[in-house]
Amino acid sequence: MSGELSPIDQAKFVAAKKAVEYVEDGMRVGLGTGSTAAWMVRCLGEMVREDGLRIKGVPTSTRTAALAQELGIDVVSLDEAKWLDLTIDGADEFDGELNLIKGGGGALLQEKIVATASDQMIVIADVGKEVESLGHFPLPIEVIPFGWQTTRALVEEMLVSMDVLGRDVTLRMSGDRPYVTDEGNHILDLHLGRIGNPRQLSMVLNQVPGVVENGLFIDICDIVCVGYGDGRVEVRDINDGTVRQDRLDFVESDNLFSDLSD
């Protein structure tokens, strides 16, 4: 596989491969959305097919649900599962306290609901996603379509009093139309540059009428598996304060990953 993957994809793969080691038979597992999470779903699919792993997967988007079903993972809704043992998902950014920005893939609402309904959340990411301060990646917020321009104006006004570098707010588009989430909402991307107080910003954003949820995940992530292009993976556990290093070997195979393109 090493000859087939770019260094960034190798990093995503080893992070995903390490994270699925936490999955045990009989677990109810939240399945994240995005390019890195797709590697994780593929790894779980391989375990289901080759090792007989039995899990209930709760997807965070329609595209994750489709991929999981294709790979033979038993997919159920969160209402059916009620509570999850573990959620594994990617992140657009993470800081030293394992606070996250998520939502680049447009699924932040379902992702946050699923993550907070879990005993544990593991984030998988390549090393390029680590930042000293959150905010370089645009912060997504999900808003209802009704009056979204008024909501944007209220958010821009609120940002004046926040500890951020920029205050540009744009409507996410899909071609020539506004992007629509699985819940039928729109997404505003906040180009902030740096977020000085993510906890405060998260709380204030959710008080703005029309805002459904924001992409700041504060005190939700427990473990991050950081992948490197040479096969190294670093596991950081915020609860026990440990950092562990490992290295995963690549093998040539025509398995479930052969047709995956990020």
Side-chain angles (χ1 to χ4, degrees):
M1 178 174 293
S2 59
E4 302 171 6
L5 300 181
S6 67
I8 187 70
D9 284 340
Q10 291 181 18
K12 293 177 179 182
F13 172 71
V14 295
K17 195 73 172 175
K18 190 65 179 178
V20 299
E21 293 180 6
Y22 289 84
V23 178
E24 300 176 3
D25 201 54
M27 276 189 168
R28 293 159 295 180
V29 182
L31 307 176
T33 294
S35 62
T36 309
W39 289 100
M40 174 270 301
V41 177
R42 292 278 176 147
C43 288
L44 288 176
E46 187 176 50
M47 294 167 68
V48 167
R49 186 189 68 175
E50 298 186 1
D51 304 327
L53 177 72
R54 295 169 299 172
I55 60 172
K56 301 286 187 183
V58 176
T60 55
S61 67
T62 54
R63 59 187 180 276
T64 294
L67 177 61
Q69 289 171 330
E70 174 189 335
L71 298 174
I73 298 172
D74 187 8
V75 171
V76 299
S77 69
L78 182 58
D79 288 337
E80 291 175 287
K82 294 184 171 59
W83 194 260
L84 307 181
D85 300 287
L86 175 66
T87 287
I88 306 176
D89 204 348
D92 298 303
E93 284 186 347
F94 70 93
D95 66 14
E97 296 180 353
L98 303 196
N99 294 318
L100 321 170
I101 285 182
K102 289 181 53 55
L108 67 97
L109 178 57
Q110 289 191 23
E111 288 174 334
K112 187 174 281 191
I113 292 172
V114 168
T116 54
S118 306
D119 288 335
Q120 190 175 51
M121 182 190 188
I122 299 177
V123 161
I124 49 178
D126 62 85
V127 67
K129 301 295 177 62
E130 183 174 11
V131 295
E132 184 173 340
S133 299
L134 297 177
H136 179 72
F137 189 91
L139 173 64
I141 60 174
E142 188 158 338
V143 302
I144 65 170
F146 175 80
W148 71 265
Q149 295 188 56
T150 298
T151 302
R152 180 174 65 179
L154 290 171
V155 169
E156 290 171 337
E157 181 180 359
M158 176 273 296
L159 288 174
V160 173
S161 62
M162 294 291 105
D163 183 9
V164 296
L165 286 182
R167 297 193 295 272
D168 187 30
V169 179
T170 59
L171 177 68
R172 186 177 299 184
M173 303 296 289
S174 177
D176 59 355
R177 299 189 177 201
Y179 178 86
V180 178
T181 70
D182 282 350
E183 267 63 52
N185 297 317
H186 295 332
I187 287 182
L188 297 177
D189 288 308
L190 281 55
H191 303 265
L192 307 177
R194 180 188 60 82
I195 302 172
N197 191 333
R199 188 182 307 275
Q200 179 192 42
L201 180 60
S202 178
M203 290 188 295
V204 174
L205 276 170
N206 282 5
Q207 299 303 310
V208 176
V211 173
V212 181
E213 189 53 82
N214 70 82
L216 286 166
F217 284 52
I218 311 297
D219 298 333
I220 297 176
C221 176
D222 299 285
I223 295 171
V224 61
C225 296
V226 185
Y228 293 79
D230 60 1
R232 288 179 297 133
V233 60
E234 186 174 273
V235 180
R236 305 179 194 176
D237 190 317
I238 195 70
N239 297 315
D240 62 21
T242 59
V243 178
R244 302 191 307 277
Q245 302 277 349
D246 198 0
R247 180 183 292 274
L248 301 182
D249 294 325
F250 296 97
V251 295
E252 298 298 334
S253 172
D254 59 353
N255 61 13
L256 290 167
F257 307 95
S258 59
D259 65 343
L260 183 60
S261 174
D262 282 349

